[in-house]
Amino acid sequence: MTTPLEVQGLGYELPGKGTGEMRRGRFLVHDVSFTVGAGETLVLLGRSGSGKTTTLKLINRLLEPSAGEVRIAGARARDLAATRLRRRIGYVIQEVGLFPHFTVARNVGLVPRLEGWEPRRIAERVRELLAVVGLDPDTFALRYPHQLSGGQRQRVGVARALAADPPLLLLDEPFGALDPITRVELQREFQALKQRLGQAMVFVTHDVREGLMLATRIGLMQQGGLVFLGTPQEFRQSDHPESKAFMAAA
């Protein structure tokens, strides 16, 4: 079975100024390697500026790696057209990014429509996914984003990311902008949802409690590198100073 995500020696150098040696920049991400299997959630945990979001952007080629290789379901990311690659990856961000002039149904069905699905199949998929994320299709399908709460918009964002059944889902602080009660509710719902879906997921957060709740494995990032990779239980028992700092904060 093909592994949904393989990352080997990934690096990204921020370009410097000048010429020659003066053009050498600093690496925001360096020598990061991991794999994510089907049904597995890798949580990338770290402080602000540790390289978590940069790593996600390198996986879906919003940034081009300076070093290393990314494979999505066995295919080298650099061999795929960027737009084609991104349609094979679900992407959920904190700000959601729904199109304000599209209905909920049209937002969710966007990628299948771009992929040339038949309208009836799109409509069925939209209804299925709205129900999966806890939004009644008859109530919400024809609403617009401004008619939804923050938590409802985030649910629509997850449904949109799943619409074309991608093998890989990337989530960048998806619940970070929500109030504490809604955030906990969505964390619990997401925990149940990911067990049913079977997608490989990379979930970025700086919240150690969120990471311990949702992770199959935790990758701890510090200064652009991966300094720990293991299960939540192994993370709790880790002697690495940064792991200890996060556990103390929890």
Side-chain angles (χ1 to χ4, degrees), residues 179-219:
D179 64 84
I181 295 174
T182 303
R183 180 169 185 163
V184 170
E185 289 174 350
L186 283 184
Q187 286 169 349
R188 290 171 179 164
E189 290 174 14
F190 182 78
Q191 187 176 27
L193 179 64
K194 71 186 185 70
Q195 292 172 350
R196 298 202 306 270
L197 293 173
Q199 257 93 0
M201 302 187 188
V202 182
F203 190 109
V204 161
T205 186
H206 62 268
D207 183 337
V208 65
R209 288 171 292 184
E210 183 171 73
L212 291 170
M213 176 189 294
L214 300 178
T216 306
R217 286 185 299 147
I218 290 177

